[in-house]
Amino acid sequence: MATLPMDIINDVFLRLPATTLVRCRALSKPCFSLIDSPDFATSHLKRTLETEQHLMILLQSDRLLRTVRVDSPDKLSDVESPLPTGGFTEVFGSVNGLIGLTNSPVDLSIFNPSTRKIHRLPIEPIDFPQHSITREYVFYGLGHDSASDDYKVVRMVQCKRKDGDGGYPFEIKVFSLKSNRWKRIHLRSEVQILVTNSYYNLTYRSGNGVLAGNSFHWILPRSEGYIESNTIIRFDLASEALGVLSFPEVLYYEDYMDIAVLDGCLCLMCYGDFSRVDVWILREYGGKWSKFITVVPTSETVVSLEFVRPMIYSKDRRKILFEINNGKLFWFDLASKSFEALGVKGYDEGRPWNVEIVVSSLVLGCKGDPRRAPEKRMMQKGNKRSDDFLSKGFKLKL
Amino acid sequence: MSESDPDMMKPETMKSYIWLQTSDGSVQQVEQEVAMFCPMICQEVIHNGAGSSESHAISLPQRVNPDMLSLILDYCRFHQVPGRSNKERKSYDEKFMRMDTKRLCELTSAADSLQLKPLVDITSRALARIIEGKSPEEIRDIFHLPDDLTEEEKLEPLKNTMDDPRIRLLNRLYAKKRKELKERERLKNVEIGEHVDERSVDDLLSFINSRDPKTSKGKKKSKKKKDQKIDSSNDREGPEDFHDKESHDLHSKQQGVEETGSSMREVPEDDIFMPKVAGSEDGDIDDEIDPAMKEMLDREVEDFARRLNSNWVCSLGQERRPVHFSINGNRTTRQHIGQSSGHN
């Protein structure tokens, strides 16, 4: 029987999720080099983005990372935590199969849960002394800059002590994966004045930047008596400039507002009085906002709405997957306006979970963490015999 | 249009046919509209004027045998009818794909050589679905892939494994080590049997029972052997590739001995494919080494690893950070690592 030519195998591999590809990589030499090639990774990513196949939901709670396929929610898998113990890890951002992890504002990483490849960012200290910042009020963003085809991480920190000019200074730094370096961003004066005018208290997860139109977005919330109106700031990944995004005036004085992205479109969620949430949508970046849907709690399934975030559409576009409150997932039927729990088995509802939608990709490569490799080899030998054997070799050759 | 053309003379033949020849030499005629559904055949007919008669049959690519051709023609026959709805076509495709994996592979191959993209698409999709659930051996079998990766490459694949001279050295040493372990294994069995005459009973007893590092003759022997091996390996450029068979044998031997407690969590998929490297059998051999020697060797190994490690870290362009030798850290304790006390 004739062997299948490599380009058919290529075709078949392109349809597989990244987790399977990591296993297929160990099959034989041709597969190894195929899956390792950057061209393959690029075509694979392109394909999964276009076909919206193999989408996963990532759940994170402290050091626990779990993934579940959107199309088969009964299979929950654990992902080994890539970070060492200690600290409390939070996930911020998900793009092209990568997630951002923050152990602390100075210790960030980019991680691919499919291939388990992690890239630790260089430790980047904050200019302000530790007591002048609030760890929970740090802004993060992880995204892909289509202009430079680069993955970037943004971190913004505000100092709670006024400076000489009477403002609360902001520090903005951007990390580029290509250069593997952090860079400070300087603000234009009008933006500077705007953002340093007040000290912003961020609410639950509102420090995580939302990616749309090649920019990150965060809400600078209003605060009764202190800050008059809400502002949406945006960080353009290409020009690396901070600016402002316009939105309907009627929402300027909303007390609780969140921002999210659904199918590439920005959404604003306004919690009127916790008994209903209005969702506005910006269908075309740079266009006009329109009211999209109103979500109301139903007495049986969803009792209260403290945090509502649309994640993705169902395949037939008739439902939207929402994250509600502390990481509970529901399908919202657009026609009947009813909720149906996603039904992930074995998912500890008692814990609060951070949720992200993750694409299946080979971005960052399949390599094991190269820093662990010699360690692992030592481990594999597991015994002193081979160790002394190695060291003998070491003496003679190196 | 010659008058003697038999096809033209037959009044009942309203259709025209294309002649096709498969890899086994047999020739058949196929309705034109069905055959022309395949781009490759279409090309041949239009550009080369082939297929119009039995003697001018289109020679199909080697991968298209009669069995596959008939399948492909069935597919073409169905799909070339313009009136069908998408639902009908999808449903036909679903049913069509139901066949065993080997045939599916043949079909994909044949369709690909005929450039019948829609069929290649659905067959690839079907194959992808099948592969997702299979073990590596099964996948290799389906695709006829050689099992030609080394154990290191399978466990912790590094890019350009062969390029870095240190890795090459490690691999070579690892290979020699395995060969040598096997040798020792063999010798041990032989020694106890054959050389019983040469040694006193006491010697023999102490060797068998205590494995005392100070007195065991066996240890000395193997040490010498080891030195020889190392020297020889460094004197000349030994063969770089070592046989996987060997490593498999070694692993399977040790496999039964000890399987360690893996992590409490559900085992992620790819753990199943990692061969379990047991440590305890080698652990016995450890006791033969002089503890002071052990210490020194541990330090050397750590040094070596740190050197390797730090160079890698630098080459990644990252800041130098203290390396964590936390062996029990993130990865599951699949291997028995109790002995590696020297590292911490």
Side-chain angles (χ1 to χ4, degrees), chain A residues 15 23 25 27-29 76 116 120 368 376 381 383-385 387-391 394 396 398, chain B residues 121 140 146 148 156-157 170 173 184 230 234 266 268-269 273 282 297-298 300-301 304 321 339:
Chain A
R15 291 161 206 271
R23 284 160 41 208
R25 184 170 177 254
L27 288 177
S28 81
K29 281 207 199 322
L76 192 67
R116 320 272 175 83
R120 307 279 299 266
K376 220 187 153 85
K381 308 308 191 241
N383 58 66
K384 304 298 159 48
R385 238 326 128 98
D387 285 350
D388 79 54
F389 167 75
L390 275 175
S391 65
F394 163 71
L396 291 163
L398 306 170
Chain B
D121 263 348
R140 264 187 228 117
D148 55 5
E156 192 70 57
L170 274 172
L173 298 184
R184 194 181 310 126
I230 302 289
N234 291 318
E266 294 163 34
E269 281 186 290
F273 300 147
D282 286 342
L297 297 174
D298 289 347
E300 274 181 357
V301 170
F304 180 49
R321 286 197 287 188
Q339 304 99 315

Side-chain angles (χ1 to χ4, degrees), chain A residues 285-299:
Chain A
Y285 200 76
K288 301 201 76 178
W289 288 88
S290 55
K291 201 147 177 221
F292 181 35
I293 48 177
T294 299
V295 176
V296 181
T298 62
S299 48

Side-chain angles (χ1 to χ4, degrees), chain A residues 4 29 36 38 59 72 134 139 159 209 212 273 288 303 313 395:
Chain A
L4 272 183
K29 281 207 199 322
D36 253 9
L59 303 162
S72 50
T134 311
F139 298 78
C159 179
D273 44 7
K288 301 201 76 178
V303 179
Y313 276 106
K395 256 196 271 197

Side-chain angles (χ1 to χ4, degrees), chain A residues 2 56 210 223 290:
Chain A
M56 297 182 288
V210 163
S223 173
S290 55

Side-chain angles (χ1 to χ4, degrees), chain B residues 286-299:
Chain B
D286 276 347
D287 298 340
E288 296 178 21
I289 309 176
D290 180 287
M293 176 81 122
K294 247 200 219 180
E295 262 278 292
M296 191 188 75
L297 297 174
D298 289 347
R299 249 182 281 119

Side-chain angles (χ1 to χ4, degrees), chain B residues 50-105:
Chain B
S52 50
S53 64
E54 187 163 357
S55 43
H56 289 90
I58 300 175
S59 239
L60 295 177
Q62 205 235 339
R63 291 184 258 153
V64 187
N65 58 38
D67 181 22
M68 288 302 119
L69 181 62
S70 98
L71 272 179
I72 291 177
L73 292 176
D74 284 343
Y75 178 86
C76 294
R77 198 166 288 122
F78 180 87
H79 281 282
Q80 58 89 20
V81 174
R84 304 204 197 271
S85 71
N86 276 338
K87 204 170 175 199
E88 278 186 307
R89 291 181 195 268
K90 274 199 140 173
S91 150
Y92 176 87
D93 286 347
E94 272 297 304
K95 291 202 201 90
F96 189 72
M97 283 301 106
R98 290 190 203 146
M99 63 182 85
D100 69 82
T101 316
K102 292 276 184 231
R103 278 191 101 207
L104 200 52
C105 280

